[in-house]
């Protein structure tokens, strides 16, 4: 069977729509429909019920889901194994959300270099939904992300239990809405934040990357929600202050992988992630978040050489 037929089936099943599947696969809707029709002819069963609202799996389609996922994963694994660089006994591919790469996943890469130099690694940054799709279709072995929704055939294993806390550069604890920085920690945080702080629901500055937001805050001042572990060194130095009376929000990270993927290399990679998460072996990076020098005020005369 053409592996692209299984990929197309999974895209339609995941999105519940031939149109969305065509957009994601950069194909025409006609091409997607033709692939599904060919697959249904090969299997001798109707896999989708088409209607105006989209496409719904039939009972036969539900049964084929697990097999289609396995087919694509086995194919991707075979392709990666054949392409191993010289001197490497195995390979692994791992993706992560942007905010998890520094420093957590960067330290994991260093850990792998120290303890598993014979394993080839492909690492990528992507959006959470796309990471889950790629683990499900086998093009990624593992993904590390915050609060992943459950998906059939995928295991979510807790790595880090983090808290988001509100901090302020003003030690008085007064939060000025004009200087509040909204950090986008995902949809669950957005809902909780709106309920707890409706007065801060329309900030003048919103940033989707925690380290960038913290660098800005340390440079110009203000308040915002940040990971407790990241903020603590600056609290200890007196540069940031906890805003008392504000709620903490859970923000836990998980490693996600397919149930079929259970071998020595996968187990070793998961062990490394847990080791770094637990702080048992932390190589550490020399660069850290810090304030940036401020530019001259508008209208000020710059020094000339």
């Amino acid at each position: 069977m053409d592996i692209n037929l299984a990929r197309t089936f999974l895209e339609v099943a995941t999105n519940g729509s031939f149109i969305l599947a065509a957009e994601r696969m950069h194909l025409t809707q006609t091409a997607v429909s033709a692939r599904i029709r060919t697959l249904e002819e090969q299997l001798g069963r109707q896999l989708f019920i088409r209607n105006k609202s989209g496409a719904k799996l039939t009972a036969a389609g539900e049964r084929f889901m697990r097999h289609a996922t396995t087919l694509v994963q086995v194919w991707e694994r075979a392709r990666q194994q054949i392409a191993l660089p010289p001197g490497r006994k195995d390979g692994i591919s791992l993706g992560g959300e942007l905010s998890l790469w520094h420093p957590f996943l960067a330290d994991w890469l260093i850990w792998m270099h120290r303890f598993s130099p014979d394993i080839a690694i492909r690492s990528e940054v992507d959006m959470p939904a796309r990471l889950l799709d790629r683990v499900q279709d086998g093009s990624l072995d593992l993904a590390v992300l915050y609060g992943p929704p459950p998906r059939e055939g995928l295991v979510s294993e807790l790595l880090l239990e983090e808290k988001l806390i509100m901090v302020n550069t003003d030690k008085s604890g007064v939060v000025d809405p004009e200087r509040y920085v909204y950090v986008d920690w995902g949809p669950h945080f957005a809902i909780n934040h709106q309920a707890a702080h409706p007065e801060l629901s329309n900030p003048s500055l919103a940033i989707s990357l925690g380290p960038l937001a913290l660098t800005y805050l340390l440079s110009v001042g203000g308040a915002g929600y940040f990971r407790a572990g990241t903020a603590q060194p600056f609290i200890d130095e007196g540069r940031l202050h906890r805003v008392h009376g504000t709620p903490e929000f859970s923000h836990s990270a998980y490693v996600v992988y397919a149930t079929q993927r259970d071998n020595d290399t996968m187990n070793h990679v998961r062990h490394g992630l847990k080791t770094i998460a637990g702080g048992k072996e932390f190589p550490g990076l020399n660069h850290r978040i810090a304030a940036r020098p401020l530019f001259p005020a508008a209208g000020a005369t710059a020094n000339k050489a």
Side-chain angles (χ1 to χ4, degrees):
M1 186 185 75
D2 183 353
I3 201 69
N4 286 322
L5 299 184
R7 290 188 193 281
T8 306
F9 168 82
L10 290 172
E11 281 290 348
V12 176
T14 299
N15 293 283
S17 165
F18 280 68
I19 296 174
L20 290 177
E23 291 176 356
R24 290 179 63 85
M25 300 187 75
H26 306 290
L27 296 170
T28 65
Q29 187 179 348
T30 301
V32 169
S33 297
R35 287 185 180 183
I36 297 300
R37 186 165 54 251
T38 299
L39 182 58
E40 290 177 327
E41 290 172 356
Q42 291 182 1
L43 294 173
R45 293 288 186 276
Q46 182 180 355
L47 301 175
F48 293 98
I49 298 172
R50 288 87 159 169
N51 52 48
K52 292 182 179 180
S53 61
K56 182 180 178 182
L57 286 169
T58 63
E62 293 280 2
R63 291 193 295 271
F64 184 62
M65 271 290 291
R66 177 170 56 87
H67 299 292
T69 301
T70 301
L71 282 169
V72 173
Q73 290 175 346
V74 169
W75 169 255
E76 285 294 333
R77 187 62 179 165
R79 188 178 61 82
Q80 293 170 20
Q81 286 287 344
I82 291 171
L84 277 178
R88 299 298 189 270
K89 71 175 185 180
D90 204 351
I92 203 79
S93 57
L94 181 144
E97 286 189 49
L98 179 59
S99 59
L100 277 162
W101 275 104
H102 176 77
F104 176 63
L105 289 175
D107 282 317
W108 170 77
L109 285 175
I110 298 170
W111 186 91
M112 290 293 291
H113 173 76
R114 290 177 61 185
F115 298 106
S116 306
D118 55 353
I119 295 178
I121 300 172
R122 189 178 86 248
S123 59
E124 301 185 19
V125 178
D126 213 329
M127 300 298 290
R130 180 61 180 157
L131 290 170
L132 287 174
D133 289 344
R134 296 189 59 193
V135 173
Q136 195 161 41
D137 70 20
S139 58
L140 275 179
D141 294 315
L142 311 99
V144 180
L145 58 163
Y146 288 111
R151 284 205 186 184
E152 184 177 356
L154 299 185
V155 177
S156 296
E157 198 170 325
L158 180 65
L159 286 177
L160 293 166
E161 287 193 274
E162 293 193 296
K163 295 290 185 183
L164 297 174
I165 60 172
M166 187 188 282
V167 295
N168 196 344
T169 53
D170 185 347
K171 62 182 178 181
S172 72
V174 176
V175 177
D176 181 357
E178 292 296 320
R179 303 182 70 204
Y180 183 74
V181 178
Y182 177 82
V183 188
D184 184 1
W185 295 109
H188 294 296
F189 171 76
I191 293 170
N192 292 328
H193 184 275
Q194 173 63 28
H197 303 288
E199 76 284 0
L200 301 174
S201 61
N202 190 28
S204 58
L205 178 61
I207 300 177
S208 63
L209 183 61
L212 172 61
L214 186 52
T215 299
Y216 175 87
L217 203 74
L218 291 167
S219 303
V220 305
Y225 270 94
F226 295 93
R227 294 190 300 235
T230 302
Q232 192 58 51
F234 301 103
I235 294 174
D236 294 340
E237 294 172 4
R239 300 175 65 190
L240 293 177
H241 309 275
R242 287 287 303 269
V243 180
H244 298 294
T246 56
E248 298 179 348
F249 301 121
S250 177
H251 194 60
S252 299
Y254 295 77
V255 57
V256 181
Y257 54 94
T259 52
Q260 296 93 336
R261 298 299 314 281
D262 189 12
N263 56 40
D264 290 343
T265 299
M266 285 281 288
N267 292 337
H268 182 70
V269 168
R270 287 160 50 208
H271 169 70
L273 290 167
K274 292 177 183 177
T275 299
I276 297 301
K280 300 170 186 174
E281 181 69 36
F282 200 81
L285 301 177
N286 292 326
H287 47 287
R288 57 169 286 185
I289 297 170
R292 306 291 293 169
L294 298 180
F295 292 104
T301 301
N303 291 330
K304 296 182 179 180

